[in-house]
Amino acid sequence: MMPADSTMTSIVQRIARQALVTFRSPPGPGEEAAKSFLENLNKLKSLTTEVRAADLKLVPRRAEGSSSRALPYHHGVPPVTYMHICETDQFSMGVFLLKTGASIPLHDHPGMHGVLKVLYGKVRISCFDRLERSCGSAPPHPTVPAAQTGSLRRSVLRSTAEFTEESGPCVLSPDRDNLHQIDAVDGPTAFMDILAPPYDPDDGRDCHYYKAVTEAELKASEQKEKEVWLMEISQPPNFWCGGEPYPGPEVSL
C-alpha cells in the first residue's frame, strides 16, 4: 500500500482535522492562550487562507437582478442559507451564503472561538466586544424605557473591515471580536465558518442579537475602538436562515 499523500486529501478535510487538533483544549474567556494552541491556530488560519469556492464545489451565485441594493425577501425565501459540513463536540464547520444586500445581524458567540473565510464575493464585518468597565470616555447612558435598561450592554467597536476570497480569515475569540455583524457587499457572497465549540443553549452557548442604541457608525472604518451602547434584542424579523445541501468533499473525523 502506498503511503498517505496529503495532496490527495481535500483541503476541506485538512482544515477539519486541523480544527479538531486546534480546539481540543482551547483557552476559555480570560485565559491566556498556550503556545501550542497559538501554533495550531496559526496552522488553521494558514489552511483556511488557501481554501476557495471550487474546493467545496461551490459555484458563485449571480446577483439577483441588476441592482446590488438590498432586496425584499418574499414567499419565505431566506436571505441567508447554511450548508452543514461537519460537527464534533469541539467545533462545527459549514458555509453561509448571503443573498445580495443580506446581513447576518449583530450577534455574539459566548465563550467561543471562530474562523471565518470568504469563498466568493465580499463581506463587511463589524466587530465589537462587551466591556465590563469603561475604557476611557464612556458614551452617555442612552435614554430607554426602564424595562429595557437591563438589556443594555456597554461595548466597544473594535473594527470594520471588508473581506474577499483573497483576504485572510477573520478570527474571533471569547475575549476579542466576539460580537460581529456581517453584511454582503456588492452582490451575493459565501464564507466558510468554523465555531469552537459549537452553539449549545444547554451549555450556556446560545446566540443573542443586539442593536446599537448609540452611534456605532458601522460603515465608517475610521471609527475604531469606539465605546458604544448595545441593546440585546430578539432575532430581527427580516433575518432567518435556511438550509442547503453541501456539495463538496466528504469530511470524516
PDB file of all heavy atoms in Angstrom, residues 52-87:
ATOM      1  N   ARG A  52     -10.755  27.808  -1.451  1.00  0.00           N
ATOM      2  CA  ARG A  52     -11.505  28.561  -2.439  1.00  0.00           C
ATOM      3  C   ARG A  52     -12.858  27.879  -2.681  1.00  0.00           C
ATOM      4  O   ARG A  52     -13.049  26.708  -2.334  1.00  0.00           O
ATOM      5  CB  ARG A  52     -10.732  28.661  -3.764  1.00  0.00           C
ATOM      6  CG  ARG A  52      -9.437  29.461  -3.664  1.00  0.00           C
ATOM      7  CD  ARG A  52      -9.709  30.934  -3.418  1.00  0.00           C
ATOM      8  NE  ARG A  52      -8.508  31.761  -3.402  1.00  0.00           N
ATOM      9  CZ  ARG A  52      -7.805  32.047  -2.316  1.00  0.00           C
ATOM     10  NH1 ARG A  52      -8.175  31.554  -1.129  1.00  0.00           N
ATOM     11  NH2 ARG A  52      -6.743  32.836  -2.393  1.00  0.00           N
ATOM     12  N   ALA A  53     -13.762  28.603  -3.304  1.00  0.00           N
ATOM     13  CA  ALA A  53     -15.100  28.067  -3.550  1.00  0.00           C
ATOM     14  C   ALA A  53     -15.047  26.754  -4.315  1.00  0.00           C
ATOM     15  O   ALA A  53     -15.803  25.810  -4.029  1.00  0.00           O
ATOM     16  CB  ALA A  53     -15.942  29.101  -4.307  1.00  0.00           C
ATOM     17  N   ALA A  54     -14.154  26.655  -5.298  1.00  0.00           N
ATOM     18  CA  ALA A  54     -14.060  25.442  -6.114  1.00  0.00           C
ATOM     19  C   ALA A  54     -13.695  24.221  -5.285  1.00  0.00           C
ATOM     20  O   ALA A  54     -14.079  23.096  -5.625  1.00  0.00           O
ATOM     21  CB  ALA A  54     -13.039  25.640  -7.230  1.00  0.00           C
ATOM     22  N   ASP A  55     -12.961  24.416  -4.176  1.00  0.00           N
ATOM     23  CA  ASP A  55     -12.581  23.290  -3.319  1.00  0.00           C
ATOM     24  C   ASP A  55     -13.791  22.656  -2.647  1.00  0.00           C
ATOM     25  O   ASP A  55     -13.755  21.501  -2.251  1.00  0.00           O
ATOM     26  CB  ASP A  55     -11.584  23.753  -2.249  1.00  0.00           C
ATOM     27  CG  ASP A  55     -10.278  24.252  -2.843  1.00  0.00           C
ATOM     28  OD1 ASP A  55      -9.770  23.606  -3.770  1.00  0.00           O
ATOM     29  OD2 ASP A  55      -9.763  25.282  -2.376  1.00  0.00           O
ATOM     30  N   LEU A  56     -14.853  23.435  -2.508  1.00  0.00           N
ATOM     31  CA  LEU A  56     -16.087  22.943  -1.905  1.00  0.00           C
ATOM     32  C   LEU A  56     -17.157  22.685  -2.963  1.00  0.00           C
ATOM     33  O   LEU A  56     -18.316  22.461  -2.647  1.00  0.00           O
ATOM     34  CB  LEU A  56     -16.617  23.938  -0.875  1.00  0.00           C
ATOM     35  CG  LEU A  56     -15.907  23.999   0.467  1.00  0.00           C
ATOM     36  CD1 LEU A  56     -14.541  24.668   0.353  1.00  0.00           C
ATOM     37  CD2 LEU A  56     -16.740  24.733   1.503  1.00  0.00           C
ATOM     38  N   LYS A  57     -16.751  22.759  -4.244  1.00  0.00           N
ATOM     39  CA  LYS A  57     -17.651  22.581  -5.383  1.00  0.00           C
ATOM     40  C   LYS A  57     -18.790  23.590  -5.358  1.00  0.00           C
ATOM     41  O   LYS A  57     -19.926  23.294  -5.740  1.00  0.00           O
ATOM     42  CB  LYS A  57     -18.193  21.147  -5.422  1.00  0.00           C
ATOM     43  CG  LYS A  57     -17.097  20.097  -5.603  1.00  0.00           C
ATOM     44  CD  LYS A  57     -17.654  18.698  -5.752  1.00  0.00           C
ATOM     45  CE  LYS A  57     -16.543  17.672  -5.944  1.00  0.00           C
ATOM     46  NZ  LYS A  57     -17.054  16.296  -6.073  1.00  0.00           N
ATOM     47  N   LEU A  58     -18.452  24.804  -4.918  1.00  0.00           N
ATOM     48  CA  LEU A  58     -19.419  25.894  -4.909  1.00  0.00           C
ATOM     49  C   LEU A  58     -19.264  26.731  -6.168  1.00  0.00           C
ATOM     50  O   LEU A  58     -18.146  27.086  -6.539  1.00  0.00           O
ATOM     51  CB  LEU A  58     -19.211  26.800  -3.698  1.00  0.00           C
ATOM     52  CG  LEU A  58     -19.572  26.262  -2.319  1.00  0.00           C
ATOM     53  CD1 LEU A  58     -19.301  27.333  -1.272  1.00  0.00           C
ATOM     54  CD2 LEU A  58     -21.019  25.836  -2.262  1.00  0.00           C
ATOM     55  N   VAL A  59     -20.373  27.031  -6.808  1.00  0.00           N
ATOM     56  CA  VAL A  59     -20.382  27.923  -7.960  1.00  0.00           C
ATOM     57  C   VAL A  59     -20.881  29.273  -7.472  1.00  0.00           C
ATOM     58  O   VAL A  59     -21.997  29.372  -6.950  1.00  0.00           O
ATOM     59  CB  VAL A  59     -21.287  27.390  -9.081  1.00  0.00           C
ATOM     60  CG1 VAL A  59     -21.313  28.373 -10.240  1.00  0.00           C
ATOM     61  CG2 VAL A  59     -20.809  26.022  -9.542  1.00  0.00           C
ATOM     62  N   PRO A  60     -20.081  30.339  -7.604  1.00  0.00           N
ATOM     63  CA  PRO A  60     -20.527  31.658  -7.136  1.00  0.00           C
ATOM     64  C   PRO A  60     -21.878  32.034  -7.718  1.00  0.00           C
ATOM     65  O   PRO A  60     -22.127  31.878  -8.915  1.00  0.00           O
ATOM     66  CB  PRO A  60     -19.415  32.601  -7.620  1.00  0.00           C
ATOM     67  CG  PRO A  60     -18.196  31.724  -7.667  1.00  0.00           C
ATOM     68  CD  PRO A  60     -18.697  30.379  -8.121  1.00  0.00           C
ATOM     69  N   ARG A  61     -22.760  32.502  -6.854  1.00  0.00           N
ATOM     70  CA  ARG A  61     -24.095  32.901  -7.280  1.00  0.00           C
ATOM     71  C   ARG A  61     -24.030  34.257  -7.977  1.00  0.00           C
ATOM     72  O   ARG A  61     -23.177  35.092  -7.682  1.00  0.00           O
ATOM     73  CB  ARG A  61     -25.035  32.988  -6.063  1.00  0.00           C
ATOM     74  CG  ARG A  61     -25.015  31.735  -5.177  1.00  0.00           C
ATOM     75  CD  ARG A  61     -25.808  30.606  -5.772  1.00  0.00           C
ATOM     76  NE  ARG A  61     -25.587  29.343  -5.088  1.00  0.00           N
ATOM     77  CZ  ARG A  61     -26.308  28.896  -4.056  1.00  0.00           C
ATOM     78  NH1 ARG A  61     -27.287  29.632  -3.581  1.00  0.00           N
ATOM     79  NH2 ARG A  61     -26.049  27.721  -3.516  1.00  0.00           N
ATOM     80  N   ARG A  62     -24.973  34.472  -8.858  1.00  0.00           N
ATOM     81  CA  ARG A  62     -25.081  35.764  -9.517  1.00  0.00           C
ATOM     82  C   ARG A  62     -25.997  36.657  -8.704  1.00  0.00           C
ATOM     83  O   ARG A  62     -26.863  36.191  -7.968  1.00  0.00           O
ATOM     84  CB  ARG A  62     -25.640  35.594 -10.927  1.00  0.00           C
ATOM     85  CG  ARG A  62     -24.712  34.838 -11.863  1.00  0.00           C
ATOM     86  CD  ARG A  62     -25.241  34.865 -13.275  1.00  0.00           C
ATOM     87  NE  ARG A  62     -24.345  34.207 -14.213  1.00  0.00           N
ATOM     88  CZ  ARG A  62     -24.528  34.180 -15.516  1.00  0.00           C
ATOM     89  NH1 ARG A  62     -25.589  34.760 -16.038  1.00  0.00           N
ATOM     90  NH2 ARG A  62     -23.660  33.561 -16.310  1.00  0.00           N
ATOM     91  N   ALA A  63     -25.807  37.976  -8.895  1.00  0.00           N
ATOM     92  CA  ALA A  63     -26.661  38.934  -8.206  1.00  0.00           C
ATOM     93  C   ALA A  63     -28.104  38.754  -8.661  1.00  0.00           C
ATOM     94  O   ALA A  63     -28.365  38.472  -9.831  1.00  0.00           O
ATOM     95  CB  ALA A  63     -26.184  40.355  -8.475  1.00  0.00           C
ATOM     96  N   GLU A  64     -29.028  38.913  -7.744  1.00  0.00           N
ATOM     97  CA  GLU A  64     -30.454  38.781  -8.059  1.00  0.00           C
ATOM     98  C   GLU A  64     -30.912  40.059  -8.713  1.00  0.00           C
ATOM     99  O   GLU A  64     -31.237  41.036  -8.053  1.00  0.00           O
ATOM    100  CB  GLU A  64     -31.261  38.516  -6.780  1.00  0.00           C
ATOM    101  CG  GLU A  64     -30.858  37.247  -6.040  1.00  0.00           C
ATOM    102  CD  GLU A  64     -29.672  37.465  -5.112  1.00  0.00           C
ATOM    103  OE1 GLU A  64     -29.088  38.568  -5.126  1.00  0.00           O
ATOM    104  OE2 GLU A  64     -29.323  36.536  -4.395  1.00  0.00           O
ATOM    105  N   GLY A  65     -30.911  40.103 -10.028  1.00  0.00           N
ATOM    106  CA  GLY A  65     -31.261  41.311 -10.754  1.00  0.00           C
ATOM    107  C   GLY A  65     -30.023  42.166 -10.973  1.00  0.00           C
ATOM    108  O   GLY A  65     -28.913  41.780 -10.671  1.00  0.00           O
ATOM    109  N   SER A  66     -30.210  43.364 -11.495  1.00  0.00           N
ATOM    110  CA  SER A  66     -29.079  44.215 -11.848  1.00  0.00           C
ATOM    111  C   SER A  66     -28.626  45.113 -10.716  1.00  0.00           C
ATOM    112  O   SER A  66     -27.603  45.766 -10.818  1.00  0.00           O
ATOM    113  CB  SER A  66     -29.463  45.094 -13.049  1.00  0.00           C
ATOM    114  OG  SER A  66     -30.592  45.894 -12.729  1.00  0.00           O
ATOM    115  N   SER A  67     -29.402  45.169  -9.631  1.00  0.00           N
ATOM    116  CA  SER A  67     -29.062  46.081  -8.536  1.00  0.00           C
ATOM    117  C   SER A  67     -28.344  45.343  -7.425  1.00  0.00           C
ATOM    118  O   SER A  67     -28.630  44.186  -7.132  1.00  0.00           O
ATOM    119  CB  SER A  67     -30.328  46.737  -7.977  1.00  0.00           C
ATOM    120  OG  SER A  67     -30.031  47.480  -6.811  1.00  0.00           O
ATOM    121  N   SER A  68     -27.367  45.991  -6.787  1.00  0.00           N
ATOM    122  CA  SER A  68     -26.664  45.407  -5.641  1.00  0.00           C
ATOM    123  C   SER A  68     -27.281  45.863  -4.329  1.00  0.00           C
ATOM    124  O   SER A  68     -26.761  45.582  -3.263  1.00  0.00           O
ATOM    125  CB  SER A  68     -25.185  45.817  -5.667  1.00  0.00           C
ATOM    126  OG  SER A  68     -25.058  47.214  -5.560  1.00  0.00           O
ATOM    127  N   ARG A  69     -28.419  46.585  -4.406  1.00  0.00           N
ATOM    128  CA  ARG A  69     -29.076  47.040  -3.184  1.00  0.00           C
ATOM    129  C   ARG A  69     -29.833  45.882  -2.537  1.00  0.00           C
ATOM    130  O   ARG A  69     -30.119  44.878  -3.161  1.00  0.00           O
ATOM    131  CB  ARG A  69     -30.040  48.181  -3.493  1.00  0.00           C
ATOM    132  CG  ARG A  69     -29.354  49.459  -3.965  1.00  0.00           C
ATOM    133  CD  ARG A  69     -30.371  50.495  -4.362  1.00  0.00           C
ATOM    134  NE  ARG A  69     -31.212  50.020  -5.466  1.00  0.00           N
ATOM    135  CZ  ARG A  69     -32.262  50.683  -5.920  1.00  0.00           C
ATOM    136  NH1 ARG A  69     -32.630  51.810  -5.346  1.00  0.00           N
ATOM    137  NH2 ARG A  69     -32.954  50.198  -6.939  1.00  0.00           N
ATOM    138  N   ALA A  70     -30.167  46.100  -1.271  1.00  0.00           N
ATOM    139  CA  ALA A  70     -30.914  45.079  -0.548  1.00  0.00           C
ATOM    140  C   ALA A  70     -32.250  44.832  -1.232  1.00  0.00           C
ATOM    141  O   ALA A  70     -32.922  45.757  -1.682  1.00  0.00           O
ATOM    142  CB  ALA A  70     -31.136  45.518   0.894  1.00  0.00           C
ATOM    143  N   LEU A  71     -32.623  43.572  -1.312  1.00  0.00           N
ATOM    144  CA  LEU A  71     -33.883  43.205  -1.946  1.00  0.00           C
ATOM    145  C   LEU A  71     -34.840  42.652  -0.899  1.00  0.00           C
ATOM    146  O   LEU A  71     -34.420  42.036   0.082  1.00  0.00           O
ATOM    147  CB  LEU A  71     -33.636  42.134  -3.016  1.00  0.00           C
ATOM    148  CG  LEU A  71     -32.724  42.533  -4.181  1.00  0.00           C
ATOM    149  CD1 LEU A  71     -32.486  41.337  -5.073  1.00  0.00           C
ATOM    150  CD2 LEU A  71     -33.339  43.679  -4.969  1.00  0.00           C
ATOM    151  N   PRO A  72     -36.144  42.831  -1.102  1.00  0.00           N
ATOM    152  CA  PRO A  72     -37.102  42.224  -0.179  1.00  0.00           C
ATOM    153  C   PRO A  72     -37.142  40.712  -0.405  1.00  0.00           C
ATOM    154  O   PRO A  72     -36.961  40.234  -1.527  1.00  0.00           O
ATOM    155  CB  PRO A  72     -38.434  42.884  -0.570  1.00  0.00           C
ATOM    156  CG  PRO A  72     -38.253  43.267  -2.011  1.00  0.00           C
ATOM    157  CD  PRO A  72     -36.795  43.628  -2.155  1.00  0.00           C
ATOM    158  N   TYR A  73     -37.339  39.963   0.660  1.00  0.00           N
ATOM    159  CA  TYR A  73     -37.355  38.506   0.552  1.00  0.00           C
ATOM    160  C   TYR A  73     -38.783  38.019   0.763  1.00  0.00           C
ATOM    161  O   TYR A  73     -39.307  38.009   1.873  1.00  0.00           O
ATOM    162  CB  TYR A  73     -36.389  37.900   1.576  1.00  0.00           C
ATOM    163  CG  TYR A  73     -34.988  38.415   1.351  1.00  0.00           C
ATOM    164  CD1 TYR A  73     -34.418  39.327   2.214  1.00  0.00           C
ATOM    165  CD2 TYR A  73     -34.259  38.022   0.227  1.00  0.00           C
ATOM    166  CE1 TYR A  73     -33.144  39.825   1.971  1.00  0.00           C
ATOM    167  CE2 TYR A  73     -32.994  38.519  -0.018  1.00  0.00           C
ATOM    168  CZ  TYR A  73     -32.447  39.419   0.856  1.00  0.00           C
ATOM    169  OH  TYR A  73     -31.192  39.919   0.613  1.00  0.00           O
ATOM    170  N   HIS A  74     -39.423  37.665  -0.349  1.00  0.00           N
ATOM    171  CA  HIS A  74     -40.820  37.284  -0.325  1.00  0.00           C
ATOM    172  C   HIS A  74     -40.958  35.761  -0.371  1.00  0.00           C
ATOM    173  O   HIS A  74     -40.011  35.030  -0.641  1.00  0.00           O
ATOM    174  CB  HIS A  74     -41.562  37.901  -1.520  1.00  0.00           C
ATOM    175  CG  HIS A  74     -41.563  39.410  -1.518  1.00  0.00           C
ATOM    176  ND1 HIS A  74     -42.050  40.148  -0.472  1.00  0.00           N
ATOM    177  CD2 HIS A  74     -41.114  40.308  -2.440  1.00  0.00           C
ATOM    178  CE1 HIS A  74     -41.931  41.441  -0.751  1.00  0.00           C
ATOM    179  NE2 HIS A  74     -41.360  41.568  -1.940  1.00  0.00           N
ATOM    180  N   HIS A  75     -42.178  35.334  -0.116  1.00  0.00           N
ATOM    181  CA  HIS A  75     -42.566  33.933  -0.288  1.00  0.00           C
ATOM    182  C   HIS A  75     -41.661  32.982   0.503  1.00  0.00           C
ATOM    183  O   HIS A  75     -41.363  31.869   0.079  1.00  0.00           O
ATOM    184  CB  HIS A  75     -42.552  33.549  -1.773  1.00  0.00           C
ATOM    185  CG  HIS A  75     -43.323  34.497  -2.636  1.00  0.00           C
ATOM    186  ND1 HIS A  75     -44.677  34.704  -2.475  1.00  0.00           N
ATOM    187  CD2 HIS A  75     -42.927  35.295  -3.661  1.00  0.00           C
ATOM    188  CE1 HIS A  75     -45.091  35.598  -3.375  1.00  0.00           C
ATOM    189  NE2 HIS A  75     -44.052  35.973  -4.101  1.00  0.00           N
ATOM    190  N   GLY A  76     -41.203  33.437   1.662  1.00  0.00           N
ATOM    191  CA  GLY A  76     -40.427  32.553   2.536  1.00  0.00           C
ATOM    192  C   GLY A  76     -39.032  32.256   2.069  1.00  0.00           C
ATOM    193  O   GLY A  76     -38.404  31.322   2.565  1.00  0.00           O
ATOM    194  N   VAL A  77     -38.504  33.014   1.100  1.00  0.00           N
ATOM    195  CA  VAL A  77     -37.137  32.785   0.640  1.00  0.00           C
ATOM    196  C   VAL A  77     -36.170  33.402   1.651  1.00  0.00           C
ATOM    197  O   VAL A  77     -36.197  34.617   1.873  1.00  0.00           O
ATOM    198  CB  VAL A  77     -36.911  33.406  -0.757  1.00  0.00           C
ATOM    199  CG1 VAL A  77     -35.464  33.215  -1.189  1.00  0.00           C
ATOM    200  CG2 VAL A  77     -37.858  32.782  -1.762  1.00  0.00           C
ATOM    201  N   PRO A  78     -35.311  32.616   2.278  1.00  0.00           N
ATOM    202  CA  PRO A  78     -34.432  33.174   3.312  1.00  0.00           C
ATOM    203  C   PRO A  78     -33.318  34.032   2.714  1.00  0.00           C
ATOM    204  O   PRO A  78     -32.784  33.720   1.649  1.00  0.00           O
ATOM    205  CB  PRO A  78     -33.855  31.920   3.985  1.00  0.00           C
ATOM    206  CG  PRO A  78     -33.913  30.864   2.933  1.00  0.00           C
ATOM    207  CD  PRO A  78     -35.151  31.164   2.118  1.00  0.00           C
ATOM    208  N   PRO A  79     -32.950  35.129   3.395  1.00  0.00           N
ATOM    209  CA  PRO A  79     -31.846  35.954   2.921  1.00  0.00           C
ATOM    210  C   PRO A  79     -30.489  35.287   3.088  1.00  0.00           C
ATOM    211  O   PRO A  79     -29.525  35.631   2.406  1.00  0.00           O
ATOM    212  CB  PRO A  79     -31.950  37.210   3.787  1.00  0.00           C
ATOM    213  CG  PRO A  79     -32.639  36.757   5.022  1.00  0.00           C
ATOM    214  CD  PRO A  79     -33.582  35.685   4.607  1.00  0.00           C
ATOM    215  N   VAL A  80     -30.430  34.315   4.013  1.00  0.00           N
ATOM    216  CA  VAL A  80     -29.180  33.604   4.313  1.00  0.00           C
ATOM    217  C   VAL A  80     -29.471  32.112   4.365  1.00  0.00           C
ATOM    218  O   VAL A  80     -30.504  31.692   4.893  1.00  0.00           O
ATOM    219  CB  VAL A  80     -28.588  34.066   5.664  1.00  0.00           C
ATOM    220  CG1 VAL A  80     -27.318  33.292   6.006  1.00  0.00           C
ATOM    221  CG2 VAL A  80     -28.300  35.571   5.643  1.00  0.00           C
ATOM    222  N   THR A  81     -28.586  31.305   3.801  1.00  0.00           N
ATOM    223  CA  THR A  81     -28.706  29.853   3.917  1.00  0.00           C
ATOM    224  C   THR A  81     -27.396  29.282   4.445  1.00  0.00           C
ATOM    225  O   THR A  81     -26.340  29.925   4.385  1.00  0.00           O
ATOM    226  CB  THR A  81     -29.067  29.178   2.583  1.00  0.00           C
ATOM    227  OG1 THR A  81     -28.129  29.594   1.572  1.00  0.00           O
ATOM    228  CG2 THR A  81     -30.463  29.564   2.138  1.00  0.00           C
ATOM    229  N   TYR A  82     -27.475  28.061   4.957  1.00  0.00           N
ATOM    230  CA  TYR A  82     -26.319  27.423   5.583  1.00  0.00           C
ATOM    231  C   TYR A  82     -26.143  26.016   5.032  1.00  0.00           C
ATOM    232  O   TYR A  82     -27.109  25.266   4.900  1.00  0.00           O
ATOM    233  CB  TYR A  82     -26.515  27.356   7.101  1.00  0.00           C
ATOM    234  CG  TYR A  82     -25.363  26.735   7.865  1.00  0.00           C
ATOM    235  CD1 TYR A  82     -24.164  27.428   8.029  1.00  0.00           C
ATOM    236  CD2 TYR A  82     -25.476  25.474   8.426  1.00  0.00           C
ATOM    237  CE1 TYR A  82     -23.107  26.878   8.739  1.00  0.00           C
ATOM    238  CE2 TYR A  82     -24.427  24.910   9.139  1.00  0.00           C
ATOM    239  CZ  TYR A  82     -23.242  25.619   9.290  1.00  0.00           C
ATOM    240  OH  TYR A  82     -22.194  25.067   9.996  1.00  0.00           O
ATOM    241  N   MET A  83     -24.897  25.681   4.705  1.00  0.00           N
ATOM    242  CA  MET A  83     -24.519  24.328   4.299  1.00  0.00           C
ATOM    243  C   MET A  83     -23.703  23.698   5.418  1.00  0.00           C
ATOM    244  O   MET A  83     -22.608  24.177   5.749  1.00  0.00           O
ATOM    245  CB  MET A  83     -23.667  24.369   3.021  1.00  0.00           C
ATOM    246  CG  MET A  83     -24.383  24.866   1.789  1.00  0.00           C
ATOM    247  SD  MET A  83     -23.236  24.941   0.378  1.00  0.00           S
ATOM    248  CE  MET A  83     -24.373  25.332  -0.950  1.00  0.00           C
ATOM    249  N   HIS A  84     -24.214  22.643   6.002  1.00  0.00           N
ATOM    250  CA  HIS A  84     -23.515  21.967   7.093  1.00  0.00           C
ATOM    251  C   HIS A  84     -22.452  21.032   6.524  1.00  0.00           C
ATOM    252  O   HIS A  84     -22.733  20.213   5.648  1.00  0.00           O
ATOM    253  CB  HIS A  84     -24.504  21.169   7.934  1.00  0.00           C
ATOM    254  CG  HIS A  84     -23.866  20.329   8.985  1.00  0.00           C
ATOM    255  ND1 HIS A  84     -23.378  20.851  10.169  1.00  0.00           N
ATOM    256  CD2 HIS A  84     -23.608  18.989   9.033  1.00  0.00           C
ATOM    257  CE1 HIS A  84     -22.853  19.874  10.890  1.00  0.00           C
ATOM    258  NE2 HIS A  84     -22.987  18.740  10.245  1.00  0.00           N
ATOM    259  N   ILE A  85     -21.214  21.167   7.009  1.00  0.00           N
ATOM    260  CA  ILE A  85     -20.133  20.283   6.573  1.00  0.00           C
ATOM    261  C   ILE A  85     -19.867  19.204   7.610  1.00  0.00           C
ATOM    262  O   ILE A  85     -19.884  18.015   7.309  1.00  0.00           O
ATOM    263  CB  ILE A  85     -18.844  21.088   6.289  1.00  0.00           C
ATOM    264  CG1 ILE A  85     -19.078  22.074   5.139  1.00  0.00           C
ATOM    265  CG2 ILE A  85     -17.692  20.142   5.937  1.00  0.00           C
ATOM    266  CD1 ILE A  85     -17.871  22.958   4.838  1.00  0.00           C
ATOM    267  N   CYS A  86     -19.609  19.602   8.854  1.00  0.00           N
ATOM    268  CA  CYS A  86     -19.357  18.610   9.895  1.00  0.00           C
ATOM    269  C   CYS A  86     -19.476  19.276  11.259  1.00  0.00           C
ATOM    270  O   CYS A  86     -19.431  20.501  11.381  1.00  0.00           O
ATOM    271  CB  CYS A  86     -17.969  17.968   9.743  1.00  0.00           C
ATOM    272  SG  CYS A  86     -16.589  19.111   9.965  1.00  0.00           S
ATOM    273  N   GLU A  87     -19.619  18.444  12.296  1.00  0.00           N
ATOM    274  CA  GLU A  87     -19.673  18.956  13.665  1.00  0.00           C
ATOM    275  C   GLU A  87     -19.199  17.884  14.632  1.00  0.00           C
ATOM    276  O   GLU A  87     -19.517  16.694  14.473  1.00  0.00           O
ATOM    277  CB  GLU A  87     -21.092  19.393  14.040  1.00  0.00           C
ATOM    278  CG  GLU A  87     -21.201  19.964  15.442  1.00  0.00           C
ATOM    279  CD  GLU A  87     -22.536  20.623  15.719  1.00  0.00           C
ATOM    280  OE1 GLU A  87     -23.116  21.208  14.779  1.00  0.00           O
ATOM    281  OE2 GLU A  87     -22.997  20.543  16.871  1.00  0.00           O
TER     282      GLU A  87
END
